[in-house]
Amino acid sequence: MTLRATAAAAVLAATALLGLAPLAAAAPGGPVPQPEAATAENRAAAERAATAPDTLATLSRFFAREGKISLTAAQPRIEGEAIPVNHLSPEFVAGRAGASVARLEFLASRAVSSDGQQAALWTARTEAGWQVVNIATGDDEFRYARLGAEKLPGGTVFREPQIDAWYVTGGSRVLPLDEDAVRAVGAGGASLDAYRARVAGAYGDKLPGSSYAARGMAGGYAEAPAGGDATPVAAVTGGAGALALGATGLLLLRRRRAAGA
């Protein structure tokens, strides 16, 4: 399921509720700035951003939405180290020689409230330094990292965000980690060449610089859904919410949870 930005009213409502600043370094509708590498220095910077008092205060409001828990009782904490999160690489889709199937998009820190709610804090280097650029409900980033390590030790776990599919790749194989990925490549996975052919066919005309991008469609690298899937933050329930920042402000998005394969 593709993520899609809300209308301006939802943006303003989400911004007012969560108090997160816009990410001026990102192009409208485009991806968050990428960290260059998941170095120890970058991990430490990401963790400082995730544990900052303002971030924890925002997390309290996030976990307390819809009265799930009180602001004072939420007591959010950050568990474990920040982990790298990879997405399907546009360079790979474009067939650039030597391009890896996945590229590092951001670092994620696990946030947990006192009543057990979980969220992922996405952190990236912006013009203002390392910042939290997204808060997403659930533990997808951490769960699929674990599943990928179990399925293919030493492999690279990555997400194909256009269909919300998670994979692990190593050598010349791409293996599925969730139901969306199974539908895309089959339960047994696909060769790297076969996977490249599939994504090139699906997204090759939607890359940055394409006419698709010029029309403002998700930065030129996503499939438009048949219908809107975003709601104001006050209407988000369960594990379906995600908050993303762009140059125009805070955008509330819906994230579908996929079962591990």
Side-chain angles (χ1 to χ4, degrees):
M1 180 176 295
T2 306
L3 301 185
R4 185 178 177 185
T6 60
V11 173
L12 294 175
T15 303
L17 179 62
L18 293 179
L20 291 178
L23 178 59
V32 299
Q34 294 171 262
E36 294 179 359
T39 62
E41 180 181 2
N42 284 348
R43 288 175 188 259
E47 289 167 9
R48 286 194 295 271
T51 57
D54 287 350
T55 301
L56 295 177
T58 297
L59 277 169
S60 291
R61 295 193 292 275
F62 181 80
F63 287 132
R65 69 194 188 282
E66 298 185 331
K68 292 181 178 182
I69 192 171
S70 71
L71 280 173
T72 55
Q75 298 180 344
R77 64 188 185 275
I78 304 302
E79 290 190 347
E81 297 182 344
I83 66 168
V85 179
N86 303 292
H87 281 182
L88 173 63
S89 167
E91 291 76 20
F92 178 83
V93 175
R96 184 171 301 174
S100 299
V101 63
R103 72 178 186 185
L104 181 63
E105 287 293 314
F106 53 86
L107 301 179
S109 296
R110 185 197 303 267
V112 183
S113 69
S114 62
D115 63 345
Q117 295 181 71
Q118 295 192 51
L121 296 176
W122 297 5
T123 49
R125 191 198 307 273
T126 75
E127 292 178 352
W130 278 87
Q131 292 183 329
V132 174
V133 296
N134 192 76
I135 303 176
T137 57
D139 65 344
D140 286 7
E141 292 78 8
F142 315 100
R143 185 160 48 94
Y144 289 118
R146 174 180 54 80
L147 289 173
E150 293 173 354
K151 192 165 191 176
L152 187 60
T156 298
V157 174
F158 72 98
R159 179 173 177 251
E160 185 182 331
Q162 295 80 4
I163 60 171
D164 194 24
W166 288 85
Y167 308 86
V168 61
T169 183
S172 61
R173 298 293 296 173
V174 176
L175 305 178
L177 294 177
D178 68 358
E179 293 175 356
D180 295 295
V182 169
R183 283 191 288 270
V185 300
S191 70
L192 199 59
D193 288 343
Y195 182 71
R196 189 198 309 270
R198 190 188 72 78
V199 296
Y203 316 123
D205 61 347
K206 300 176 179 66
L207 293 167
S210 65
S211 60
Y212 184 86
R215 297 197 302 271
M217 301 295 290
Y221 193 46
E223 292 180 324
D229 191 37
T231 56
V233 69
V236 175
T237 60
L243 296 172
L245 292 106
T248 55
L250 234 175
L251 305 179
L252 180 73
L253 307 170
R254 186 181 294 268
R255 176 166 91 176
R256 178 164 58 86
R257 297 296 305 279

